[in-house]
Amino acid sequence: MENLIALLVAAPLLGAVILLCGGRRLDRTGHWLGTLLALGSFVVAALLFTDMLGRDGEDRAMHQHLFSWIPVGGFQADIAFQLDQLSMTFVLLITGVGSLIHIYSIGYMEHDERRRRFFGYLNLFLAAMLILVIADNYLLLYVGWEGVGLASYLLIGFWQHKPSAATAAKKAFLVNRVGDMGLSIAIMLMFTTFGTFAFGDVLAATGETSEGKLTAIGLMLLLAACGKSAQVPLQSWLGDAMEGPTPVSALIHAATMVTAGVYLITRSGAIFNAAPDAQLAVVIVGAVTLLFGAIVGCAKDDIKKALAGSTMSQIGYMVLAAGLGPIGYAFAIMHLVTHGFFKAGLFLGAGSVMHGMNDEVDMRKYGGLRKYMPVTFVTFGLGYLAIIGFPGLSGFWSKDKIIEAAFAYGDGVRPWIFGGVALLGAGITAFYMTRVMLMTFFGEKRWQPTPDPHKEPSAEPAADDAHAGEMPHPHESPKSMTIPMIVLAFGSVFAGGLFSLNESFVHWLEPVTAFEHPHPVISVPAITASTMVVLAIGVAIAWFMYGKRPVPVTAPRGSVLTRAARRDLLQDDFNHVVLVRGGEHLTRSLVYVDHTLVDGVVNGTAASFGGLSGRMRKLQNGFARSYAVSMLGGTAVLVAATLLMRAV
C-alpha cells in the first residue's frame, strides 16, 4: 500500500495542471474534474487508513521514497513521503473536508466566469497541503509550506477586481514571508547541527544536542507557525483574508492552512520537549492569541470576520495545547480535527446566508433568517453549539481537554494562569458565537436594499455591484451547498464523542506524539463545572445584549475596547507605527550613513588621490630642459650620498 501514498498528491496536482493549463475548453466541465480528483485523493486516503488500521500500533508508519532530490556530497535531500498516525489524521481531514468544500463550491461559484481557474487553485492548495503533512523531511515540508502560501495568495485575491481583495492577498503573502524566514532559518540550523533534514534523524538526535541550539531551532519553528496559523504577532492577515470567496475561508481557516503551524509544532515535539524555554514561548503565544482572537470576534459585524476572529482564538487553543508537551499534543490535534468540522460548517453556513442575502456580510442587516433558511439554521446552529463546548458535542470533548491540560502545566502559578486564560476564553467564545447566532437567525428582520458603492458610501460596501439597489429575498441554498453543510454538522455533533470513547484518539496518536495523562491542580469535575458556568454566563450576556434588545442597524459607538476590537485591537496600527514607520526611519538612517560615511570615505579617498595626482602631474611638463635639470639634480644627490657614506 505504500506505493499509493504519492497518489494522494498526484490526483489534485494533476487537476491543478489540467485546469490551469487546459484553457477555456474546460470551462463547462472543469469544476467537475477538480471535484472528482479531490474525491479521488480522499478515496486513496481511506484505503491507506484502512490498511493502517490493520497493523499494530508501532508498525503503522509507511514510507515511500520517490527519488533523490539534491544529492550533493553530504547534502542529501529526498522526495520521500511518510504516512503515520499524525500525518494520516491530517490527510483524512484535508481530503475529506476539502472534497466537501469542492462540492459546495460547485453551487457557490456557479455564476463566476472564472470558476475553472478557481477549482484549479483549490486543487493546487490541496496538493501543497498534502505535501506539507506527508513529507518525511523538513526541506520537502518547506516546499509544501511555500506551495500553500502561493495557493492561498491566489485564492484570497481571486476576485482581484476588488482592491480590497488584492490588498488582502498581498498582505497575507507578505506577513507569511516573515514566518517563512523562521522556517528557513530553522532548517539551516538543523542541517548545521544534525547534518540532515529527515524527521527521524533530527528528532532522534535531540538528546545529544545542547539546549541552546534546540531553543534557537524551536523559536524559529514557532515564528513559522505564527505566520501560517495567524498567531500573535503575525495574526494581522487573517481577518483581511475574508475578502476571498467563502469556500476559501472554509478551506484556509478550518481544516488546512491555519492548522499547518499546529502540525509543525506537534511534529517537532521532541525539539520542544528538550527546549523548555521554547516550549514556554509556544504556550504564551497560544494563550495570548486565544484571548486576542476572541476579543476581536466580539466586536465584528461582518459575519465572516467574526468567524475569522474565532478561528484565530481556536487555533490559539491548539497552539497552547501543543506547547504543553506530551500532556497536550493529542488534545491539540483532537481539537484541530473537531474544529475542522464545525468551523468549516460555520463558514459554509455563512456563505449560504450570504448567498440568500445578495452577498451582504453585515449581521446588523440580517435577523429572523431561521424561518427562511431552515437547513442553514440547523447546521449552523449545531456548529455553534459545538464550538462553544455544549455538553456532548465535539467541542465539549476536545476544548475541555485542553482546559484540563492547561490546569496541569508546570508548577507554581503557571497552571492557574494558563488554565484561567483557557477558561476565560471559553466564556468569551460563548458570548461572541451567541451574538452571531442571535444577530443572524433571530429577532426582527433588518434587511435593507443592497447599497450601490458608486453612489452611496458605506462602511460595508456591497460585494457585488450586480445586486446594488435590490432588496434581499432570503432563501435556502441549493443541495450542492446544503449537503456538505449537513455532513459537516454530523461531524460537529459526533466526532468528539467518538474520539473520546475509551480514549481512542489519544491511543491512536500515542506512538507518534507520546502521551501523559494530565493531573490538574483542581479536580476534573470542578474544571468541567467551571467551564459550564462561564459558558452559561457568556450566553446569558449575549442574550441580554442582542436577544432581548433590538439590534440597531447602525453600530453604536461603543466603549474604547469595543472600538479597538473593531479595528482588530489596533494590530494594523501597531504594525504601521513599529514596522512601516520604523522601517522608514531605519531606511533613512541607512541612507544618511551611506551618503555621509560610506560615500564620504569613498569620495574623500578619490579626491585625495585626485589632488595628489594633480600636483604630481606638474612634474611632467614635457620640456626636455626640465627633465635634464631633474636628472642632474638626481645625479648630484646620489654623488653626495655616496661621498657622505664613505666619509662615515
Side-chain angles (χ1 to χ4, degrees):
M1 293 294 287
E2 286 86 349
N3 294 331
L4 295 179
I5 298 177
L7 291 178
L8 292 170
V9 177
L13 186 60
L14 176 64
V17 171
I18 294 175
L19 294 176
L20 297 177
C21 301
R24 294 186 176 278
R25 66 178 65 90
L26 294 172
D27 283 353
R28 293 185 178 181
T29 58
H31 52 288
W32 292 111
L33 176 63
T35 302
L36 288 174
L37 288 172
L39 286 169
S41 184
F42 175 69
V43 170
V44 173
L47 292 174
L48 290 168
F49 176 63
T50 302
D51 180 68
M52 186 176 287
L53 286 177
R55 306 185 183 194
D56 293 333
E58 300 296 333
D59 298 323
R60 284 174 170 168
M62 308 179 193
H63 293 82
Q64 183 179 14
H65 181 276
L66 297 183
F67 57 89
S68 294
W69 178 18
I70 312 175
V72 181
F75 188 93
Q76 181 72 30
D78 296 327
I79 300 296
F81 299 131
Q82 169 182 295
L83 197 63
D84 56 19
Q85 291 91 322
L86 178 61
S87 52
M88 175 57 78
T89 301
F90 277 83
V91 165
L92 289 171
L93 183 65
I94 293 165
T95 57
V97 176
S99 296
L100 291 173
I101 292 171
H102 275 71
I103 296 171
Y104 178 93
S105 300
I106 293 174
Y108 190 87
M109 301 295 290
E110 181 178 4
H111 302 294
D112 197 292
E113 295 179 354
R114 301 169 63 239
R115 180 166 61 168
R116 168 185 55 83
R117 184 174 294 273
F118 179 78
F119 276 82
Y121 292 159
L122 287 182
N123 275 194
L124 178 63
F125 192 99
L126 286 189
M129 193 66 198
L130 288 168
I131 291 174
L132 191 158
V133 299
I134 66 174
D136 85 332
N137 62 83
Y138 283 98
L139 195 60
L140 184 57
L141 179 149
Y142 187 76
V143 173
W145 193 272
E146 291 301 312
V148 167
L150 170 63
S152 67
Y153 169 79
L154 297 171
L155 287 168
I156 293 170
F158 183 74
W159 287 328
Q160 69 265 33
H161 60 277
K162 298 167 56 180
S164 56
T167 301
K170 182 173 67 174
K171 183 177 182 180
F173 190 82
L174 292 177
V175 173
N176 272 271
R177 296 291 71 72
V178 178
D180 294 353
M181 284 297 297
L183 182 56
S184 62
I185 293 172
I187 292 173
M188 291 183 228
L189 289 173
M190 288 176 191
F191 186 75
T192 57
T193 303
F194 306 108
T196 179
F197 307 109
F199 291 145
D201 297 333
V202 170
L203 301 179
T206 54
E208 305 169 2
T209 308
S210 68
E211 184 177 317
K213 290 183 178 179
L214 293 175
T215 299
I217 294 173
L219 291 176
M220 290 299 100
L221 292 174
L222 174 59
L223 179 62
C226 287
K228 277 290 183 287
S229 295
Q231 300 293 283
V232 172
L234 300 179
Q235 79 288 0
S236 62
W237 65 271
L238 190 67
D240 291 347
M242 297 299 102
E243 292 293 336
T246 299
V248 175
S249 302
L251 187 65
I252 291 177
H253 303 129
T256 54
M257 179 174 171
V258 291
T259 63
V262 182
Y263 171 79
L264 180 66
I265 294 172
T266 306
R267 175 62 74 187
S268 308
I271 294 174
F272 289 97
N273 293 340
D277 291 339
Q279 196 171 57
L280 177 60
V282 174
V283 177
I284 293 173
V285 166
V288 171
T289 307
L290 76 87
L291 289 181
F292 190 105
I295 293 171
V296 168
C298 291
K300 292 295 184 181
D301 294 331
D302 183 320
I303 187 171
K304 289 173 65 178
K305 291 189 176 182
L307 294 178
S310 170
T311 298
M312 189 188 306
S313 178
Q314 297 304 308
I315 299 296
Y317 271 105
M318 300 171 206
V319 172
L320 168 65
L324 300 177
I327 65 173
Y329 289 136
F331 300 142
I333 304 304
M334 180 176 172
H335 191 54
L336 185 151
V337 177
T338 58
H339 177 265
F341 284 112
F342 55 69
K343 184 52 64 65
L346 289 169
F347 269 115
L348 296 188
S352 179
V353 170
M354 292 167 58
H355 179 79
M357 293 292 291
N358 292 353
D359 293 325
E360 179 62 68
V361 296
D362 189 349
M363 293 185 293
R364 294 186 179 276
K365 299 176 183 177
Y366 292 165
L369 292 180
R370 70 186 188 279
K371 301 176 184 178
Y372 304 90
M373 310 178 73
V375 176
T376 300
F377 167 64
V378 172
T379 55
F380 194 98
L382 291 173
Y384 151 72
L385 293 174
I387 195 173
I388 68 172
F390 190 82
L393 275 70
S394 291
F396 170 79
W397 300 106
S398 58
K399 188 165 63 177
D400 281 29
K401 287 295 183 182
I402 294 176
I403 297 173
E404 293 173 15
F407 272 109
Y409 176 63
D411 50 21
V413 299
R414 282 189 185 181
W416 296 101
I417 292 175
F418 295 115
V421 167
L423 190 62
L424 176 61
I428 302 175
T429 300
F431 170 79
Y432 70 72
M433 285 305 305
T434 303
R435 174 179 181 267
V436 171
M437 280 295 296
L438 294 174
M439 292 179 70
T440 302
F441 295 103
F442 292 88
E444 298 297 325
K445 62 181 183 180
R446 302 178 296 277
W447 315 332
Q448 294 183 354
T450 304
D452 186 343
H454 302 296
K455 295 181 179 180
E456 300 178 11
S458 172
E460 297 287 349
D464 188 351
D465 292 358
H467 297 303
E470 294 182 7
M471 178 64 75
H473 298 284
H475 56 277
E476 192 56 86
S477 299
K479 290 184 178 180
S480 63
M481 296 172 64
T482 56
I483 290 176
M485 291 158 55
I486 293 171
V487 174
L488 291 169
F490 273 96
S492 301
V493 174
F494 299 112
L498 291 176
F499 293 160
S500 298
L501 189 64
N502 297 323
E503 296 187 329
S504 57
F505 193 79
V506 168
H507 294 316
W508 164 258
L509 288 178
E510 190 171 5
V512 181
T513 62
F515 177 70
E516 296 177 6
H517 281 280
H519 298 287
V521 292
I522 54 178
S523 66
V524 172
I527 294 175
T528 301
S530 301
T531 305
M532 293 299 101
V533 169
V534 298
L535 186 154
I537 292 173
V539 172
I541 294 174
W543 172 255
F544 180 77
M545 294 179 63
Y546 299 96
K548 293 187 66 176
R549 302 177 181 178
V551 177
V553 176
T554 302
R557 179 176 175 80
S559 65
V560 174
L561 179 59
T562 299
R563 296 197 299 272
R566 288 173 185 158
R567 298 177 61 183
D568 301 323
L569 291 180
L570 309 180
Q571 55 186 337
D572 285 333
D573 302 80
F574 176 84
N575 291 341
H576 184 75
V577 171
V578 175
L579 301 178
V580 177
R581 289 186 179 176
E584 290 175 352
H585 291 309
L586 177 61
T587 302
R588 289 169 186 165
S589 301
L590 293 175
V591 169
Y592 176 79
V593 171
D594 181 59
H595 286 172
T596 57
L597 181 61
V598 178
D599 287 355
V601 172
V602 173
N603 295 336
T605 303
S608 299
F609 279 98
L612 179 62
S613 64
R615 292 177 176 84
M616 295 182 65
R617 187 178 58 199
K618 295 179 181 180
L619 300 176
Q620 302 292 329
N621 54 20
F623 295 111
R625 60 180 179 270
S626 297
Y627 298 150
V629 172
S630 298
M631 293 172 64
L632 178 62
T635 301
V637 171
L638 289 174
V639 170
T642 302
L643 293 175
L644 180 62
M645 292 181 67
R646 285 183 177 181
V648 175

